[in-house]
C-alpha cells in the first residue's frame, strides 16, 4: 500500500535532510506507529505520503500513486483515496459537524442524494450521531477529533494518515480516539499514526517505526535493527 | 455548479462586511470610469455635431449655363467623400445673407446689384469631415472651369482636427488609467477575501478538492460582486447625470446618457473585473500551496 525506497527530503531552506535515505514498506491491513523526537521527520514522512511535499530523491508509492512524478492535477485523486487527520483537527469553524463531513464528499462530486446517509453512518461510527448539528466550537477537543476522523473516513479510504491525532487530547480522550483508529484498522483500513505518546505505543503492541534525525532507526517488524 | 453557487453565497453571507466593502470598491471604481465615459461620450457627440458644419463651398462664375452646373453637380455627387450637393443661386444667397446677417440687413437692402455669386455647397460624409479630405475635395472642385473659388474654412477645420486628436488621446489615456486603477483596487479587495479564507482553501485541498473546485466559489462570488458594483455604479452615474441636466449646464448641445448597450458594457466590465480579479487572486494563491 505504501512503499518508501531510499527516500530523502531536503527543504529548500534546511541544511540537513529532513528525511534521509528512508526505506520501508507498509502492507495491507497494517497499523503502524511513527515515533521519534521532535524534528525527527515524522510529519515530513506523512506529508510525502499525501503529496504535500515531494521527495528530493528516492521513490514514494501510495495506493498505486508515484508521489515523485504526481502532477498537481492528480493530487486530488490521491487525496480522495486517503483520510488525513491532524493534531489541530482542521475543521471548518462555520459549519456543523455534519456539514464538515459532508464537505469532504461534496468536493469529490458525490451524488447529493446519497450524502446525508453516508454522513450519518460515519458520525454514528465515531459515536457522534447526537452532535451532528453542533459547530466545532461547541464540541470538546476529543469530539472535534472524532468529527475530523469521520471526515477522513467518509470516502472509505484504504489508507488513513494521522499526525499526532491525540496531541491535544487528555488521556481519556486519547484512549477513545486511539480505540477508534484501531476499530477502523480492524475493518481493513491501513492506519499510519505519528505520535509522541510513548505510553500509548508501548501498550498498543503495534508495528512501530522509530525515527531519529531523518532516518528510520528501528522497525519493530524487521529483525534487523540499525545500530546508532 | 449548484454546489459552487451555494458555497459562493455562503461566503457572501459569512463575510458581509468584507463583501459590502468589495462591492462598494467596485462600484466606486466603475462609477468614476462610467462618469468619465459619459463625459467622453458627450464630448464626442458635441464634436460630431460641430463637424456636421464642415462644408465645402464652390463659388461659381456668373453667367455659367445652368445645364453645365447641373451636369457637374451629378459628377460631384458621386465623389466618395460627398454626402450631398446643393445649388445656391445668387438670389438664395442674398436672401440667406439678409436673414442671417441681421446686422448688415440695411446694407443688403439698399444694394442695386447682388454682390453674392451663386455656389454649390457640399456636405461630407461623417468619416471625411476633416481638413485633409475637405482639401482634397476642394482641389478636385478647382478642376471645373466654372468654379471661381473654393472655401472650406480651413482654419477651423484644422483646429477641429487637432481637438479631435487631443480628445481621443486624452480620453484613451484617462480611460485606461481608470480601468487599470479599478483592476488593481478590485484585485486587492479580492486578495483580502482569499487570504481570509486561506484556511478553508487549505482544508478543501486536503480533502481532495480540485483547483477548479476551489476556484469556483470565488469566481462566482467575484462575478456577483462585479455585477452588483456595476449596477450601483450605473445608478450613481444616472443620478449625477440627472442632477447635471436639471441644472441646465448644457452647452446648447443635447446631452445624452448611456444607451442600453453601453450600460450593458459597463455592467459586463464590472462582471469581468470581479471574475478576472478573483481568478488572478485565487490562482496566484493556489500556486503557493
Ligand atoms: N517547511 C519546512 N521548511 C524547512 N524545514 C522544515 C520544514 N518542515 C520541517 N522542516 C524541518 O525538517 C525537520 C523534520 O521536521 P518534521 O516536521 O518532519 O519533524 P517531526 O518529527 O514531525 O517533529 P514534531 O514531533 O515536532 O512534529 C526539522 O528539522 C524541521 O525543522
Ligand atoms: Mg510533526
Amino acid at each position: 500500500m505504501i512503499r518508501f525506497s531510499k527516500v530523502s527530503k531536503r527543504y529548500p531552506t534546511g541544511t540537513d535532510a529532513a528525511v534521509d535515505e528512508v526505506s520501508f514498506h507498509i502492507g495491507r491491513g497494517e497499523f503502524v506507529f511513527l515515533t521519534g523526537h521532535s524534528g525527527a521527520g515524522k510529519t515530513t514522512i506523512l506529508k510525502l505520503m499525501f503529496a504535500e511535499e515531494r521527495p528530493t530523491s528516492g521513490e514514494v508509492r501510495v495506493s498505486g500513486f508515484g508521489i515523485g512524478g504526481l502532477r498537481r492535477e492528480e493530487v486530488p485523486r490521491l487525496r480522495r483515496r486517503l483520510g488525513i487527520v491532524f493534531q489541530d483537527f482542521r475543521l471548518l469553524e462555520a459549519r456543523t459537524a455534519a456539514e464538515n463531513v459532508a464537505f469532504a464528499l461534496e468536493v469529490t462530486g458525490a451524488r447529493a442524494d446519497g450524502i446525508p446517509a453516508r454522513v450519518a453512518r460515519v458520525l454514528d461510527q465515531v459515536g457522534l450521531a447526537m452532535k451532528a448539528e453542533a459547530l466545532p466550537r461547541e464540541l470538546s477537543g476529543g469530539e472535534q477529533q472524532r468529527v475530523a476522523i469521520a471526515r477522513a473516513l467518509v470516502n472509505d479510504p484504504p489508507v488513513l494518515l494521522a499526525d499526532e491525532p491525540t496531541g491535544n487530547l487528555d488521556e481519556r480522550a486519547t484512549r477513545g480516539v486511539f480505540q477508534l483508529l484501531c476499530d477502523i484498522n480492524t475493518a481493513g483500513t491501513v492506519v499510519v499514526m505519528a505520535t509522541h505518546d510513548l505510553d500509548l505505543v508501548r501498550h498498543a503492541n503495534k508495528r512501530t517505526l522509530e525515527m531519529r534525525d531523518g532516518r528510520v532507526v528501528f522497525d519493530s517488524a524487521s529483525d534487523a535493527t540499525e545500530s546508532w | 455548479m449548484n454546489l459552487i453557487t451555494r458555497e459562493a453565497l455562503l461566503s457572501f453571507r459569512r463575510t458581509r462586511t468584507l463583501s459590502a466593502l468589495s462591492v462598494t470598491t467596485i462600484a466606486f471604481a466603475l462609477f468614476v470610469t462610467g462618469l468619465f465615459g459619459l463625459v467622453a461620450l458627450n464630448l464626442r457627440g458635441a464634436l460630431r455635431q460641430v463637424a456636421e458644419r464642415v462644408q465645402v463651398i464652390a463659388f461659381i462664375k456668373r453667367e455659367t449655363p445652368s445645364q453645365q452646373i447641373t451636369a457637374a453637380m451629378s459628377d460631384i455627387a458621386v465623389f466618395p467623400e460627398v454626402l450631398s450637393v446643393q445649388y445656391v443661386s445668387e438670389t438664395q444667397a442674398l436672401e440667406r445673407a439678409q436673414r442671417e446677417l441681421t446686422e448688415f440687413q440695411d446694407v443688403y437692402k439698399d444694394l442695386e446689384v447682388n454682390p453674392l455669386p451663386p455656389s454649390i455647397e457640399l456636405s461630407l460624409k461623417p468619416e471625411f469631415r476633416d481638413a485633409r479630405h475637405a482639401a482634397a475635395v476642394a482641389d478636385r472642385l478647382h478642376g471645373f472651369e466654372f468654379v471661381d473659388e473654393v472655401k472650406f474654412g480651413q482654419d477651423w477645420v484644422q483646429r477641429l482636427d487637432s481637438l479631435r486628436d487631443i480628445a481621443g488621446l486624452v480620453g484613451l489615456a484617462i480611460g485606461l488609467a481608470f480601468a487599470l486603477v479599478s483592476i488593481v483596487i478590485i484585485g486587492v479587495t479580492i486578495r483580502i477575501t482569499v487570504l481570509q479564507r486561506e484556511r478553508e482553501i487549505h482544508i478543501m485541498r486536503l480533502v481532495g478538492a480540485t483547483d477548479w473546485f476551489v476556484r469556483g466559489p470565488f469566481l462566482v462570488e467575484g462575478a456577483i460582486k462585479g455585477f452588483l458594483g456595476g449596477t450601483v455604479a450605473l445608478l450613481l452615474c444616472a443620478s449625477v447625470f440627472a442632477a447635471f441636466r436639471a441644472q441646465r449646464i448644457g452647452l446648447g448641445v443635447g446631452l445624452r446618457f448611456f444607451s442600453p448597450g453601453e450600460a450593458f458594457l459597463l455592467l459586463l466590465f464590472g462582471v469581468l473585473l470581479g471574475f478576472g480579479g478573483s481568478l488572478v487572486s485565487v490562482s496566484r494563491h493556489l500556486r503557493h500551496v
Side-chain angles (χ1 to χ4, degrees):
Chain A
M1 296 257 62
I2 301 174
R3 183 182 293 281
F4 275 53
S5 315
K6 293 199 180 255
V7 174
S8 294
K9 173 65 189 178
R10 240 170 234 290
Y11 288 105
T13 51
T15 43
D16 300 328
V19 167
D20 194 3
E21 297 265 318
V22 166
S23 301
F24 59 82
H25 174 250
I26 296 173
R28 238 166 247 292
E30 284 199 73
F31 188 117
V32 179
F33 279 122
L34 206 53
T35 64
H37 63 87
S38 181
K42 307 180 290 295
T43 296
T44 305
I45 292 278
L46 291 175
K47 282 182 172 174
L48 287 167
M49 289 178 184
F50 62 86
E52 175 92 352
E53 297 291 349
R54 306 303 177 100
T56 312
S57 64
E59 203 192 344
V60 178
R61 292 198 71 82
V62 177
S63 302
F65 291 86
I67 302 299
L70 203 63
R71 290 202 316 275
R72 187 183 167 87
E73 308 88 81
E74 294 172 322
V75 172
R77 277 205 299 129
L78 166 73
R79 301 238 171 117
R80 289 169 195 188
R81 300 186 40 81
L82 296 175
I84 313 174
V85 178
F86 297 92
Q87 181 172 1
D88 58 359
F89 322 135
R90 303 202 189 170
L91 299 173
L92 295 166
E93 286 107 348
R95 293 172 211 242
T96 65
E99 284 167 350
N100 265 285
V101 175
F103 193 66
L105 275 179
E106 288 165 347
V107 304
T108 64
R111 286 173 53 95
D113 50 6
I115 290 178
R118 290 171 71 179
V119 170
R121 179 176 59 77
V122 282
L123 280 177
D124 189 45
Q125 192 180 345
V126 300
L128 276 183
M130 301 297 290
K131 304 271 186 174
E133 297 312 317
L135 291 170
R137 63 166 175 275
E138 296 161 352
L139 296 172
S140 73
E143 288 168 337
Q144 288 185 55
Q145 193 59 295
R146 286 166 183 275
V147 175
I149 292 171
R151 179 180 65 190
L153 286 181
V154 75
N155 278 313
D156 291 321
V159 176
L160 190 130
L161 307 176
D163 194 356
E164 299 185 34
T166 59
N168 281 350
L169 306 180
D170 66 19
E171 205 178 324
R172 210 182 132 87
T174 295
R175 276 202 304 277
V177 163
F178 176 63
Q179 191 52 53
L180 182 57
L181 292 178
C182 289
D183 294 346
I184 290 163
N185 173 243
T186 308
T189 304
V190 173
V191 176
V192 182
M193 172 174 168
T195 184
H196 276 135
D197 193 336
L198 292 181
D199 259 1
L200 192 71
V201 174
R202 226 171 276 133
H203 289 106
N205 195 25
K206 303 276 187 194
R207 180 178 172 192
T208 303
L209 291 175
E210 190 183 338
M211 298 195 65
R212 178 170 297 189
D213 296 330
R215 292 169 177 276
V216 173
V217 292
F218 175 73
D219 181 349
S220 64
S222 79
D223 301 331
T225 301
E226 284 183 45
S227 55
W228 61 83
Chain B
M1 262 309 127
N2 194 5
L3 176 64
I4 284 173
T5 313
R6 186 200 77 189
E7 289 295 315
L9 293 179
L10 207 65
S11 116
F12 222 106
R13 261 192 295 140
R14 216 174 298 127
T15 56
R16 269 202 197 111
T17 320
L18 191 62
S19 297
L21 185 72
S22 319
V23 172
T24 312
T25 315
I26 295 178
F28 189 72
L30 289 178
F31 170 53
V32 176
T33 311
L35 269 192
F36 173 75
L38 269 183
V39 171
L41 213 65
N42 280 292
L43 201 63
R44 219 177 53 186
L47 281 174
R48 206 181 296 132
Q49 275 183 347
V50 174
E52 271 169 31
R53 297 203 212 141
V54 174
Q55 261 190 340
V56 183
I57 301 173
F59 295 102
I60 296 168
K61 291 176 185 155
R62 285 164 209 270
E63 267 89 61
T64 309
S66 64
Q67 310 96 293
Q68 202 183 339
I69 298 174
T70 316
M73 275 176 63
S74 41
D75 287 349
I76 293 167
V78 296
F79 282 6
E81 298 92 343
V82 169
L83 183 68
S84 65
V85 190
Q86 200 197 353
Y87 176 73
V88 181
S89 70
E90 298 164 80
T91 332
Q92 286 169 330
L94 185 61
E95 278 169 8
R96 197 197 283 172
Q98 284 172 338
R99 200 172 51 242
E100 289 177 5
L101 307 170
T102 42
E103 306 91 315
F104 301 105
Q105 224 159 22
D106 297 339
V107 182
Y108 283 115
K109 211 169 275 174
D110 297 340
L111 290 170
E112 282 174 17
V113 188
N114 185 351
L116 298 174
S119 61
I120 302 175
E121 292 183 0
L122 282 66
S123 58
L124 303 180
K125 290 177 187 160
E127 62 269 35
F128 298 117
R129 288 172 189 158
D130 57 51
R132 193 162 60 84
H133 290 99
V137 172
D139 267 0
R140 243 173 288 152
L141 289 175
H142 273 301
F144 293 94
E145 49 159 301
F146 58 81
V147 169
D148 198 14
E149 197 191 341
V150 185
K151 275 193 184 161
F152 62 90
Q154 183 145 18
D155 281 0
W156 79 266
V157 174
Q158 272 169 353
R159 230 170 293 150
L160 180 64
D161 278 2
S162 45
L163 196 62
R164 261 191 295 223
D165 288 348
I166 291 174
L169 219 71
V170 171
L172 197 69
I174 299 183
L176 277 180
F178 278 148
L180 222 76
V181 168
S182 316
I183 289 173
V184 170
I185 292 177
I186 291 165
V188 169
T189 345
I190 292 172
R191 183 108 192 93
I192 297 172
T193 319
V194 171
L195 288 180
Q196 205 199 22
R197 288 172 54 194
E198 205 172 1
R199 200 182 129 79
E200 195 166 334
I201 292 177
H202 168 79
I203 293 174
M204 283 168 102
R205 287 183 44 76
L206 274 182
V207 297
T210 60
D211 283 352
W212 279 110
F213 187 91
V214 174
R215 283 188 197 114
F218 283 99
L219 300 187
V220 173
E221 198 183 330
I224 293 176
K225 283 176 180 171
F227 180 78
L228 290 179
T231 310
V232 173
L234 266 182
L235 291 177
L236 285 177
C237 280
S239 42
V240 167
F241 181 77
F244 189 78
R245 199 161 52 177
Q247 293 204 341
R248 304 210 174 283
I249 317 179
L251 309 159
V253 191
L255 293 177
R256 73 176 188 90
F257 192 61
F258 295 122
S259 68
E262 289 156 352
F264 175 76
L265 272 184
L266 192 72
L267 274 185
L268 189 69
F269 185 51
V271 171
L272 287 180
L273 276 183
F275 188 87
S278 301
L279 185 62
V280 171
S281 298
V282 185
S283 298
R284 215 169 41 183
H285 180 74
L286 283 178
R287 226 179 301 141
H288 296 299
V289 293

